Amino acid sequence: MDTSLLEFIDQVDSTNTYLMEQIASGRRLPQLHTVVGRQQTAGRGMRGNSWVSRQGDSVTCSLLLRSDMLQGREQFAVSELIAVAVSRTFASFMTEEQRERLSIKWPNDIYWGDRKLAGILIEHSLTGQRVDYSVVGIGMNVNDESFPPELPFAISLRMITGHSLLPMEILIRLHDQIAPLLPDFLLGHYADVHRTFMRQLYRREGFHLFTDVQGQFRAQIKDVSPEGRLVLQREDGWERAYAFKEVRFDAE
């Protein structure tokens, strides 16, 4: 990869916020320009969750992704591309047996078994119906040896493999995984990545427990729409598409 794409900041509230402010200020940045926070103090995650990183333990970064073809109704293609790339980045450091437990939990968390390995937050800038650019925030648990009690389901790459890694190794591997997916994405061809995303989905096979506003139910995952809605089919055959905050996975 071209390491000139990497911009390191010793301490930052949020790499996503910083990168969006740089774009808004008129700074001209190349495709896949990546801001890396050595320590992040107020990172943001899905559903308003926070992401705080300690230097050397986690890799927290935000990258710029532009596309002339992406429509607003197709914006979840960015989530799918990045989730697949992050999953493959982790897989490249694992044994075959360890890789079998990797999955993507809708909408775009990376899981190992039932524990969270990484989180992704994507923010889009739209003009009309077209996405001008996306700022992709990624938080990857890499060298953590333990987590506080309030994060009982977190896990790190080191806890899985027993080895620590330099952040630069992760960043280079991440860019290497994004690169082969980018040409089709820039041409507006999203089907292959979508199929890969669906194959890797957490709890993809069989019926599992979920909860919506009406209560708990059992359902199987049928699809994820281009807008990012999770399509669930209940045991009686009834289907519904859910937005991000409308349904949750229940423990089993």
Side-chain angles (χ1 to χ4, degrees):
M1 68 161 288
D2 180 1
T3 55
S4 68
L5 293 172
L6 302 178
E7 177 182 355
F8 288 88
I9 301 177
D10 286 334
Q11 184 170 318
V12 64
D13 291 344
S14 163
T15 54
N16 261 34
T17 299
Y18 173 83
L19 183 51
M20 293 185 77
E21 288 173 349
Q22 294 299 301
I23 296 167
S25 72
R27 183 179 171 191
R28 296 178 66 84
L29 298 171
Q31 180 81 290
L32 297 184
H33 181 85
T34 303
V35 175
V36 185
R38 291 192 171 95
Q39 184 174 11
Q40 182 169 258
T41 58
R44 292 173 289 127
M46 294 293 296
R47 304 174 189 266
N49 295 329
S50 62
W51 186 289
V52 178
S53 66
R54 295 175 296 182
Q55 189 166 345
D57 285 348
S58 301
V59 170
T60 55
C61 63
S62 295
L63 60 88
L64 173 63
L65 187 60
R66 301 184 186 275
S67 172
D68 294 330
M69 304 291 292
L70 187 64
Q71 299 296 305
R73 65 181 182 276
E74 302 168 320
Q75 62 186 265
F76 197 70
V78 178
S79 293
E80 294 185 338
L81 182 150
I82 297 300
V84 168
V86 173
S87 177
R88 288 178 174 177
T89 299
F90 281 121
S92 69
F93 295 103
M94 294 180 180
T95 66
E96 184 174 350
E97 184 178 356
Q98 290 165 345
R99 291 184 200 123
E100 291 177 356
R101 301 189 66 187
L102 266 178
S103 63
I104 301 168
K105 184 178 180 183
W106 176 83
N108 48 25
D109 287 337
I110 308 303
Y111 264 53
W112 192 77
D114 290 317
R115 302 179 71 177
K116 184 174 177 177
L117 193 52
I120 299 166
L121 174 67
I122 299 174
E123 299 177 87
H124 303 282
S125 175
L126 287 84
T127 299
Q129 298 300 313
R130 187 175 65 84
V131 178
D132 287 329
Y133 64 85
S134 304
V135 170
V136 179
I138 306 169
M140 306 170 73
N141 299 332
V142 178
N143 291 323
D144 310 77
E145 296 184 73
S146 62
F147 291 92
E150 61 267 26
L151 298 173
F153 300 111
I155 195 169
S156 72
L157 186 59
R158 180 175 182 174
M159 293 165 68
I160 296 167
T161 67
H163 305 293
S164 60
L165 291 164
L166 293 174
M168 183 62 82
E169 294 179 83
I170 297 288
L171 292 164
I172 291 173
R173 198 70 60 88
L174 175 62
H175 273 252
D176 287 346
Q177 296 299 332
I178 293 173
L181 302 175
L182 206 52
D184 276 351
F185 174 81
L186 295 177
L187 290 171
H189 302 157
Y190 312 127
D192 285 348
V193 167
H194 177 68
R195 282 191 289 268
T196 302
F197 178 88
M198 291 301 301
R199 284 197 302 269
Q200 295 184 17
L201 267 188
Y202 176 75
R203 295 187 181 176
R204 177 69 178 93
E205 302 297 330
F207 286 83
H208 299 277
L209 291 174
F210 299 86
T211 293
D212 62 12
V213 293
Q214 297 179 327
Q216 191 177 72
F217 61 95
R218 291 181 64 84
Q220 63 178 342
I221 295 174
K222 296 294 290 182
D223 200 1
V224 176
S225 73
E227 301 88 356
R229 292 179 176 269
L230 182 68
V231 181
L232 297 178
Q233 183 184 64
R234 301 195 186 199
E235 291 175 304
D236 61 5
W238 186 77
E239 290 188 9
R240 178 178 169 182
Y242 290 91
F244 293 157
K245 298 182 180 181
E246 294 178 343
V247 68
R248 72 164 189 260
F249 293 78
D250 288 344
E252 296 186 337

